[in-house]
Amino acid sequence: VVSMQLGFAMLEVGTVREAHRMTVLAKNIMDSVVSCFAFGFGASWMGLSLILDKHGHVMYDRQLYNWVFCATSVTICSGSMAERTHMIAYLTHAALMAGFIYPSIAEAVWGDGTGFLYNEMHKRFEDAHSYHDCAGSGVVHFVGGMAAFAGNTLLGRRIMRPDAAYTGEEQLDEEQASPMFPPSAQSTRSVSLQTSALALEERRQILQLRCSSAQEELCRLAVQPWQRRFDDADRDKLEFKACNYLQVMGMFILWVGWYGFNAGSALTGNGASPHTAGLISWNTTMAASAGGFGAYIYMYGFHSNIDMGVLCNG
């Protein structure tokens, strides 16, 4: 299940713009790190029965297994909010998810009745009915998906770059106009006081120009909002160029990780558990194959091409 962190990271890096790939990788690493500390603290503070034996002692194998479930729920949001979330804000969200939201819901579903949400999940409508979650479909994926949906709703679609960013002309002009970037042939010459004063004056003019440009941009945004993803199909194709190799690698790593999620949850000391785990593994394989085949039929039938992102998501 831990390997799914790599799967999510590769799938996301293969989907975002090249300029944001290092940030996406850093967020995938750091949400695992932060969720480890937050879940450990939250589990101890809340006294989760999920990780305790009958004597009240911590069972570290259960704590590890529940942490990897928690980390998967947290990292689902990294793809939904990619390219438009500050690192500190995202890690704060990861700590809240791992330290409070996930432990509360997991204890309510799988705990022994001590969680404050337990009565909402068990015997809420009738005494004979309780919420059942086999391998985290609700506790992990639904919770992570709803958190991702909330973040995506607040942030909106990804913002497109300004037109000047495609050519680099603005940056080139500034560098040529500013004496702060002298030619390499003149790098060893001494700079006189007059030249330094001229450099500072031109630098001040550049900063003033940038400030006026920023004010103009704010005025423009008050009338015309930023252009976002899916507003212009041609711009999308030009700016968002996926790396299909990473997408496919991430998809297969996730596929393998789900055997640990689904089949691993069924393995117990019961003699029938190998048969149950085998059945769950085959059902997982059939579900992945059906989803991929459905995505292929959709793309081939309605668009007459094969999009690797859609195929991998299927």
Side-chain angles (χ1 to χ4, degrees), residues 159-236:
I159 298 171
M160 307 295 284
R161 293 179 298 178
D163 293 336
Y166 289 101
T167 61
E169 295 176 355
E170 182 179 359
Q171 181 180 2
L172 182 62
D173 292 341
E174 288 183 2
E175 292 182 357
Q176 291 177 346
S178 175
M180 298 295 288
F181 304 96
S184 58
Q186 301 177 359
S187 60
T188 57
R189 299 178 183 178
S190 61
V191 181
S192 64
L193 293 176
Q194 183 178 1
T195 305
S196 299
L198 180 61
L200 291 173
E201 176 62 23
E202 293 203 11
R203 190 65 178 171
R204 185 184 65 82
Q205 294 177 359
I206 290 174
L207 291 175
Q208 285 182 343
L209 180 62
R210 288 179 177 176
C211 290
S212 61
S213 299
Q215 291 175 353
E216 292 176 359
E217 181 67 10
L218 290 174
C219 294
R220 185 188 69 80
L221 291 175
V223 180
Q224 180 183 359
W226 282 309
Q227 186 177 26
R228 293 180 179 266
R229 183 94 195 266
F230 306 121
D231 288 342
D232 188 334
D234 294 332
R235 284 285 303 275
D236 286 352

Side-chain angles (χ1 to χ4, degrees), residues 270-307:
N270 191 326
S273 68
H275 172 77
T276 304
L279 175 62
I280 292 174
S281 298
W282 182 245
N283 287 338
T284 301
T285 308
M286 289 289 290
S289 301
F293 188 71
Y296 168 78
I297 293 297
Y298 168 76
M299 290 301 302
Y300 190 81
F302 290 92
H303 299 278
S304 299
N305 66 356
I306 303 300
D307 186 292

Side-chain angles (χ1 to χ4, degrees), residues 117-190:
L117 292 176
Y118 184 85
N119 291 331
E120 298 296 324
M121 301 293 181
H122 301 271
K123 303 178 181 180
R124 176 67 173 81
F125 301 102
E126 294 184 27
D127 290 343
H129 292 80
S130 296
Y131 174 72
H132 178 73
D133 192 313
C134 175
S137 59
V139 175
V140 177
H141 302 290
F142 183 74
V143 171
M146 290 303 297
F149 178 74
N152 204 348
T153 302
L154 292 172
L155 294 170
R157 291 168 288 158
R158 286 179 280 185
I159 298 171
M160 307 295 284
R161 293 179 298 178
D163 293 336
Y166 289 101
T167 61
E169 295 176 355
E170 182 179 359
Q171 181 180 2
L172 182 62
D173 292 341
E174 288 183 2
E175 292 182 357
Q176 291 177 346
S178 175
M180 298 295 288
F181 304 96
S184 58
Q186 301 177 359
S187 60
T188 57
R189 299 178 183 178
S190 61

